[in-house]
Amino acid sequence: MTFSVPIKQTHTAHHHQIVPLPATHDHVPVISSNSSLSPLKLQNMNLVHSPSHSLQLPKFISHFQNTPKFYPPKRVTTSNLETIGSNIFSNSTALIPIKAASEGVDTAVVVVEEEGPKLKKFQVFEGHPAPFGATVRDGGVNFAIFSANAVSATLCLISLSDLPENRVTEQIFLDPLTNKTGDVWHVLLKGDFKDMLYGYKFDGNFSPEVGLYYDPSKIVSDPYAKSVISRGEFGVLGHDDNRWPQMACMIPTAENKFDWEGDSPLKYLQRDLIIYEMHVRGFTQHESSRTEFPGTYLGVVEKLDHLKDLGVNCIELMPCHEFNELEYYSYNSVLGDYKVNFWGYSTVNYFSPMTRYSTAGTRNCGQDAINEFKLLVREAHKRGIEVFMDVVFNHTAEGNEKGPILSFRGVDNSIYYMLAPKGEFYNYSGCGNTFNCNHPIVRQFILDCLRYWVTEMHVDGFRFDLASIMTRSSSLWDAVNVFGSPIEGDLLTTGTPLSSPPLIDMMSNDPILRDVKLIAEAWDAGGLYQVGMFPHWRIWSEWNGKYRDIVRQFIKGTDGFSGAFAECLCGSPNLYQEGGRKPWNSINFVCAHDGFTLADLVTYNEKHNLANGEDNNDGENHNNSWNCGQEGEFASISVKKLRKRQMRNFFLCLMVSQGVPMIYMGDEYGHTKGGNNNTYCHDNYVTFFTQPLLRCSYPLSKLTVDYVHYLSTTMQINYFRWDKKEESSSDFFRFCRLVTKFRHECESLGLNDFPTAERLQWHGHDPGTPDWSETSRFVAFTLIDSVKGEIYIAFNASHLAVTITLPERPGYRWEPLVDSGKPAPFDFLSSDIPERDLAVKQYSHFLEANLYPMLGYTSIILVLSPNDHA
C-alpha cells in the first residue's frame, strides 16, 4: 500500500499561478513565466505532484521504513496558488507517496519538522469502500467516495483556521492500487481531527464535450459529507467580497452525541395532518418576533407555541439543506440593495443542514449546527408537531456548463447530471442542470440521504420539489443499466417519463422510507405535469395544483366551476380514486411560497414584481386572483370588507375539504408581499423609495407614487410580521385558529376514504337539488359526523345575496357557527363570545323557518342540534 507524507512548504513572497494544460494532456502544473523556480526545481516539483512518478520514490525512503519515526530530507519549494472559482487557494503541503503498513501492522508515524506550526500526526491505512462519506470506525475515520472517471484522487485536510485563509493544511494522495476498490476511492486515517475539515481533489479528463470536468486545482465537497461549511453568517460575503469562498466538510468524531430525550416519531395518520409551509429565517428574523435567536432553528423553537395555538401539527420547512444564499448576489438598482437566494432552492449538499440558519455557524466544524436542527425537531415533537423537509433533488447549485465546480461536477459530472450526447446539460429544472435521479449511483445516493434524515435527524416526511424530474429516465438509460438485463424494444431517450421509475420504486418499497410521508410536487419546468398521475405505489401524496386553481376560480365567482369545486371538497376523487389512492393523498393548498399570499390573492389582479429588478418579467402571469374591485392596498371600505370575506372563504374551504390542508406562513394573519408573486431574492426590509423609481422608465401616476411611499413605510416581503399578527389577533388569526380547531374536532373532515351518499348529500338553494350548471356559483352539502352529528356547509360565490332553504331534520334545529359575511368576532360564534346568544337570536326567525340568508361572496357552517322546544 502507498500513502503520502505531507511536507510543509516554505512560502516565498512570489505567488505563482497554475495554468492548466489542454484537456488532452495530463494535468501537470505549469508555472507562469515570472516564476523564480529553476528548471531543475520545476522538474522535481512535477515529479512529486505527478502520480505517474510514484513508483520512483520507494528507494529514496526505503531505509526509513523500519524506524518508528523518520524525517525525510527537507524540501523547499515555492507555494503553488490554485484558483478555486474566483479564489486563490494555496497548498501548504507537497505530496510524497510512501509504502505504508497494512491495518493491524505497526505503521510509521510521519512527523515533518518545519518552521511555523507543526503538522498533525496521522496514521494512514488502506481504508474501506463502504459506507460512503467520512465515518468513525476502527479507531479512526474512514473516507470513501465514488468517482468512476477520475484517474487520481487526493484527500485534502483543512483546519478550521486555515479555511478562511484559503490554505490546505495537509494532503494525502490516494494510491489507485491500494486506496481504490472498483470505482470507490477510500482511506482510513487515525489521529487528532480536532477542528479539522476535509475535501477532495480529483484529476482526470477535462472535456465538457463528453461531460467531464476534472480539475485538480479545485477542492470539491464530498456529496456524503454530513456538514459543509464556509461562511458562518447569513448574507455576509467571504474574504475579499467573495460569493463562493472555499467550502470544506466536517470530519465526524465519536464524541458528538445529541440527547434526544427519548424522542420518537409521532406517526400521525396523514389524514389528520394540518401542514404549515414555512421558512426558517423568515419566520423570526423580523424584530417584532422578539426572539433571542432571530432567523435560526432556535428562533423557530421559540415560536412553536404559535403554531400549536393555530392548530398546526406539521411544519414543512422550505429548503434547509446547505445552500449559498449569495449565489444570486447582485445589485438591485430598483431597491438600491442586493439580491440573494432567500428561498434556498439551489442545493450545495444534501446531507448538511443549512449552517447559517444556526446560531453556531461554523463552530465545532458544523456539528453544533446539526445539533440545533435536531433540537428543533425534538422540541417540535414535544409539542405534537411533525417536521417535513422540502428537498430539491431536481438540480443543484452548480448550474450549467458556466457554473462553479463545487461537488458533484468535480467528483463525476457525467454520473450526477443528465447530459446530452455532446455533454450539454438537460434543463428540466429551469435552473441550468438536471439531477440524474434514476442512474443507479444517484438513486442510491438519494435513498441514503433520505434515510439519514429520517434515522439520524428524526425527520417525519419530505416534500419533493419538481418531483416529476425523479420520474424521467437517466442519461445512458438502458435496461441493463437499470434492471440488469436487456428488454427488447427498450429504446428510451434521456429524460423520457417512466411509468415505474426505479428511484420512486426504491423509495416506495424501502423499509425505512415507507413509514414517513412522501409528497410530490408533481410537475417540472420541462412541461411534465403529473398531478393525479404521479407514480405512487399507493404511498405518495401530491401537491394538488388543480385544487388550488379550481378553488381560486370558483371562490372569485368564475362560471363553470361548481362541479369541479365539489370534487375538490371531496378530496379530488377524479384524480386519486381510480389509482387506488385516498383523499389524504391530496395535499390541498390555496397559496404557497411561490405565488400570491392569501391577502394578495384578494388584493391584486396583476403581479407587481418590479422590486425583483427584472422589469416585472419574472413570476407567474396567470394567478386566478381578484382584487375585489380596486388594485392594491389603497381601496374603499367596502372593497376591504369584501377582501376579508374572501380570505375567510378561502381558509374555510381549505379546512372543510377532504384531503390534507396546507397553510402558507403568514396567511393566518393576512401577510402581504405587495403583489410580488416571486419573492425568491429578498432578505431585507423591501423599501420602495419614490425618488429612485421616478428615474426608471415606468410611467408613474400620482396614485402609484403614493402607493410606493406607502410600501416604503410598511413593506416587509419575506419576514413574518409578528406585530401584524398581534394586531389581527381579534380578527383573521382568531378565525383561522377556530376553524382549524373545528376541523380537528370533526371526524368527517379527515376521512380515510372518499365520502359516499350515505354520508354526504349535495344541496342547492333548496335541499337536495344541487345546481351543476355552467352559471351556478352556489355549492352546499350536509355531512354526517360522528362527533357533531351533522353539519351544513355552503359557499355562495355570486355577487348576489340569497336566502337558502335548509334540510328539514325533525326534532333538531340548525345553529349558525360560521358566517364569513359577519364581522369579527361574529364570523365564528365560539362559546366564549358574550353576545353569542343575542347574535343567534337575531336569526331565529329565519332558522325556525329552516331558512338562512347569505350575502354575496360568503360561506357558512351550521351545526345540527337537538330542538329543546320540539
Side-chain angles (χ1 to χ4, degrees):
M1 298 170 217
T2 64
F3 75 107
S4 304
V5 182
I7 297 186
K8 186 72 176 176
Q9 296 180 351
T10 303
H11 301 289
T12 70
H14 297 282
H15 290 176
H16 301 281
Q17 183 177 7
I18 289 181
V19 181
L21 290 175
T24 54
H25 294 73
D26 291 335
H27 285 284
V28 179
V30 178
I31 307 300
S32 58
S33 58
N34 64 345
S35 170
S36 61
L37 294 179
S38 68
L40 177 60
K41 289 181 178 179
L42 180 58
Q43 180 182 2
N44 289 339
M45 191 187 73
N46 289 339
L47 175 66
V48 170
H49 280 269
S50 175
S52 63
H53 294 9
S54 60
L55 298 179
Q56 302 179 25
L57 295 176
K59 286 184 178 180
F60 177 71
I61 49 85
S62 61
H63 63 285
F64 292 108
Q65 284 195 281
N66 295 322
T67 61
K69 185 180 295 186
F70 61 91
Y71 302 87
K74 284 188 180 181
R75 183 179 190 83
V76 179
T77 62
T78 304
S79 65
N80 301 322
L81 300 180
E82 302 182 350
T83 303
I84 300 295
S86 59
N87 302 328
I88 299 297
F89 201 95
S90 69
N91 290 323
S92 59
T93 63
L95 299 178
I96 297 182
I98 298 178
K99 298 294 290 182
S102 302
E103 292 184 50
V105 181
D106 291 340
T107 305
V109 178
V110 182
V111 180
V112 181
E113 289 190 339
E114 291 291 342
E115 297 179 3
K118 290 186 178 180
L119 295 182
K120 298 192 175 189
K121 301 176 183 178
F122 288 100
Q123 293 176 303
V124 183
F125 300 91
E126 178 179 308
H128 308 273
F132 290 169
T135 310
V136 176
R137 63 175 297 173
D138 303 331
V141 176
N142 188 75
F143 299 85
I145 187 168
F146 166 88
S147 182
N149 292 296
V151 298
S152 71
T154 301
L155 177 67
C156 300
L157 300 180
I158 308 168
S159 70
L160 197 58
S161 59
D162 275 345
L163 181 63
E165 300 300 325
N166 289 344
R167 285 197 298 263
V168 176
T169 309
E170 303 188 33
Q171 298 187 78
I172 298 170
F173 172 74
L174 305 187
D175 191 316
L177 298 179
T178 56
N179 297 114
K180 188 180 181 186
T181 302
D183 293 330
V184 182
W185 301 82
H186 48 80
V187 66
L188 180 93
L189 301 183
K190 295 182 180 181
D192 180 11
F193 292 100
K194 181 177 174 54
D195 292 336
M196 191 66 74
L197 305 160
Y198 78 100
Y200 288 95
K201 289 182 179 181
F202 289 100
D203 203 351
N205 195 2
F206 189 93
S207 299
E209 66 275 9
V210 295
L212 299 179
Y213 286 79
Y214 288 110
D215 185 344
S217 72
K218 309 291 187 184
I219 296 179
V220 297
S221 298
D222 182 355
Y224 277 81
K226 302 309 183 290
S227 183
V228 174
I229 66 173
S230 56
R231 298 171 292 104
E233 187 176 350
F234 192 95
V236 177
L237 290 163
H239 184 66
D240 293 331
D241 293 337
N242 193 342
R243 293 185 301 121
W244 288 102
Q246 179 63 42
M247 294 178 291
C249 309
M250 179 192 76
I251 298 177
T253 65
E255 291 75 33
N256 284 315
K257 301 295 183 182
F258 178 79
D259 184 4
W260 281 105
E261 298 180 359
D263 177 71
S264 60
L266 297 174
K267 293 189 176 180
Y268 290 139
L269 296 175
Q270 187 155 320
R271 66 173 184 260
D272 295 330
L273 294 180
I274 296 180
I275 301 174
Y276 187 87
E277 188 193 23
M278 63 177 294
H279 189 280
V280 167
R281 180 171 172 84
F283 194 53
T284 61
Q285 184 61 26
H286 194 266
E287 66 266 15
S288 65
S289 72
R290 300 187 184 92
T291 54
E292 184 178 356
F293 306 106
T296 66
Y297 302 124
L298 299 187
V300 175
V301 172
E302 294 181 70
K303 290 295 187 178
L304 285 174
D305 289 339
H306 162 73
L307 301 176
K308 186 74 173 176
D309 187 35
L310 178 58
V312 167
N313 58 9
C314 174
I315 54 177
E316 181 179 297
L317 303 177
M318 291 175 64
C320 288
H321 288 149
E322 185 66 26
F323 67 92
N324 183 4
E325 73 279 10
L326 300 181
E327 178 182 0
Y328 312 143
Y329 192 77
S330 59
Y331 184 70
N332 186 345
S333 61
V334 176
L335 299 183
D337 65 359
Y338 290 84
K339 298 167 67 173
V340 300
N341 178 6
F342 184 77
W343 285 349
Y345 289 90
S346 192
T347 308
V348 168
N349 180 276
Y350 291 99
F351 282 85
S352 172
M354 176 62 170
T355 55
R356 290 174 299 285
Y357 282 170
S358 70
T359 64
T362 61
R363 190 174 65 235
N364 199 13
C365 296
Q367 181 62 53
D368 288 356
I370 294 174
N371 289 343
E372 286 190 23
F373 184 92
K374 290 180 176 179
L375 189 145
L376 167 57
V377 176
R378 186 189 73 190
E379 295 306 306
H381 286 175
K382 285 182 180 179
R383 292 162 175 81
I385 299 173
E386 291 192 337
V387 179
F388 292 2
M389 291 187 69
D390 193 341
V391 292
V392 190
F393 287 109
N394 57 77
H395 77 284
T396 76
E398 290 182 303
N400 59 19
E401 66 278 358
K402 297 180 181 179
I405 298 175
L406 305 172
S407 180
F408 304 97
R409 177 165 297 158
V411 173
D412 210 325
N413 182 81
S414 64
I415 298 296
Y416 284 105
Y417 293 113
M418 196 181 290
L419 302 178
K422 295 185 178 180
E424 304 97 330
F425 289 86
Y426 280 92
N427 190 19
Y428 293 115
S429 68
C431 298
N433 64 53
T434 304
F435 215 47
N436 204 20
C437 296
N438 280 297
H439 186 282
I441 293 296
V442 182
R443 65 177 186 255
Q444 186 62 53
F445 166 80
I446 294 174
L447 204 72
D448 291 343
C449 179
L450 296 174
R451 284 174 169 178
Y452 172 80
W453 284 96
V454 172
T455 58
E456 181 66 23
M457 310 295 269
H458 290 204
V459 165
D460 303 285
F462 303 93
R463 178 262 186 188
F464 294 83
D465 184 65
L466 298 184
S468 290
I469 283 176
M470 299 194 301
T471 72
R472 293 183 181 271
S473 62
S474 62
S475 299
L476 305 177
W477 175 271
D478 60 74
V480 176
N481 181 348
V482 176
F483 299 108
S485 60
I487 299 175
E488 187 174 350
D490 183 47
L491 298 175
L492 292 174
T493 59
T494 299
T496 300
L498 305 172
S499 59
S500 297
L503 171 61
I504 306 301
D505 188 350
M506 291 174 66
M507 294 166 62
S508 303
N509 293 289
D510 185 80
I512 293 174
L513 300 181
R514 281 185 65 91
D515 282 341
V516 302
K517 284 83 172 179
L518 304 175
I519 302 171
E521 183 184 38
W523 56 83
D524 65 22
L528 184 55
Y529 190 80
Q530 297 176 307
V531 172
M533 300 174 290
F534 190 85
H536 54 81
W537 279 263
R538 299 190 179 185
I539 290 176
W540 286 76
S541 300
E542 299 172 6
W543 263 27
N544 192 343
K546 292 184 178 180
Y547 176 98
R548 172 199 59 203
D549 299 339
I550 291 169
V551 167
R552 288 186 179 192
Q553 291 274 29
F554 178 81
I555 294 293
K556 77 187 183 82
T558 305
D559 285 340
F561 284 91
S562 59
F565 180 71
E567 294 271 13
C568 290
L569 293 171
C570 292
S572 301
N574 57 314
L575 297 177
Y576 302 112
Q577 191 170 30
E578 184 176 344
R581 284 191 281 181
K582 304 296 183 180
W584 46 264
N585 291 120
S586 173
I587 306 300
N588 301 329
F589 66 103
V590 175
C591 299
H593 65 274
D594 48 354
F596 282 149
T597 66
L598 185 57
D600 290 348
L601 186 65
V602 300
T603 305
Y604 299 94
N605 283 351
E606 308 294 337
K607 65 182 182 183
H608 294 265
N609 295 3
L610 290 177
N612 299 349
E614 300 179 39
D615 294 343
N616 208 38
N617 291 320
D618 63 305
E620 178 59 54
N621 292 316
H622 306 287
N623 297 283
N624 295 321
S625 61
W626 179 45
N627 62 18
C628 297
Q630 291 178 262
E631 186 80 355
E633 296 285 338
F634 287 105
S636 65
I637 293 176
S638 62
V639 167
K640 288 185 176 180
K641 287 183 177 179
L642 176 55
R643 289 173 178 173
K644 286 189 175 182
R645 292 210 302 270
Q646 290 290 73
M647 288 173 64
R648 295 185 191 111
N649 292 335
F650 279 119
F651 196 87
L652 183 66
C653 172
L654 193 61
M655 290 300 151
V656 300
S657 297
Q658 300 298 326
V660 178
M662 186 185 79
I663 308 167
Y664 175 55
M665 180 183 86
D667 279 349
E668 69 268 33
Y669 70 84
H671 182 78
T672 177
K673 297 183 179 181
N676 193 326
N677 70 358
N678 190 33
T679 62
Y680 71 96
C681 59
H682 299 290
D683 177 48
N684 49 19
Y685 291 87
V686 180
T687 304
F688 290 78
F689 293 106
T690 304
Q691 188 63 33
L693 276 178
L694 286 174
R695 292 199 294 267
C696 295
S697 59
Y698 314 111
L700 297 176
S701 64
K702 182 179 185 302
L703 176 62
T704 308
V705 174
D706 289 341
Y707 171 59
V708 170
H709 178 70
Y710 168 80
L711 287 176
S712 71
T713 60
T714 65
M715 180 58 62
Q716 182 84 53
I717 283 191
N718 282 323
Y719 293 170
F720 189 104
R721 290 292 299 270
W722 294 93
D723 51 345
K724 298 294 183 184
K725 177 256 176 180
E726 295 300 328
E727 290 175 9
S728 67
S729 61
S730 62
D731 190 355
F732 191 59
F733 175 71
R734 172 187 173 273
F735 179 84
C736 294
R737 178 174 56 83
L738 292 173
V739 173
T740 302
K741 181 174 181 287
F742 178 77
R743 178 184 174 89
H744 281 304
E745 293 172 347
C746 291
E747 164 268 343
S748 62
L749 294 180
L751 296 176
N752 190 53
D753 216 331
F754 298 100
T756 64
E758 295 178 353
R759 181 186 286 268
L760 183 146
Q761 185 179 7
W762 297 105
H763 306 289
H765 293 164
D766 296 310
T769 58
D771 182 1
W772 307 121
S773 68
E774 281 293 306
T775 58
S776 173
R777 300 184 185 182
F778 184 87
V779 173
F781 62 99
T782 48
L783 201 58
I784 303 298
D785 188 90
S786 62
V787 177
K788 300 294 183 180
E790 189 174 3
I791 55 179
Y792 178 95
I793 301 172
F795 293 87
N796 179 23
S798 170
H799 63 286
L800 300 175
V802 61
T803 299
I804 60 175
T805 302
L806 302 172
E808 290 191 11
R809 299 291 185 261
Y812 294 86
R813 69 180 188 279
W814 292 105
E815 285 195 355
L817 179 67
V818 176
D819 189 334
S820 66
K822 299 290 188 294
F826 304 107
D827 51 359
F828 194 111
L829 293 176
S830 57
S831 58
D832 59 346
I833 299 177
E835 304 89 350
R836 183 185 185 281
D837 292 340
L838 179 60
V840 172
K841 189 175 181 180
Q842 290 176 344
Y843 284 87
S844 59
H845 59 291
F846 283 102
L847 295 172
E848 289 172 1
N850 258 5
L851 302 173
Y852 193 89
M854 293 183 68
L855 295 175
Y857 301 113
T858 59
S859 53
I860 62 171
I861 298 179
L862 308 179
V863 179
L864 196 65
S865 299
N867 192 345
D868 298 333
H869 305 292

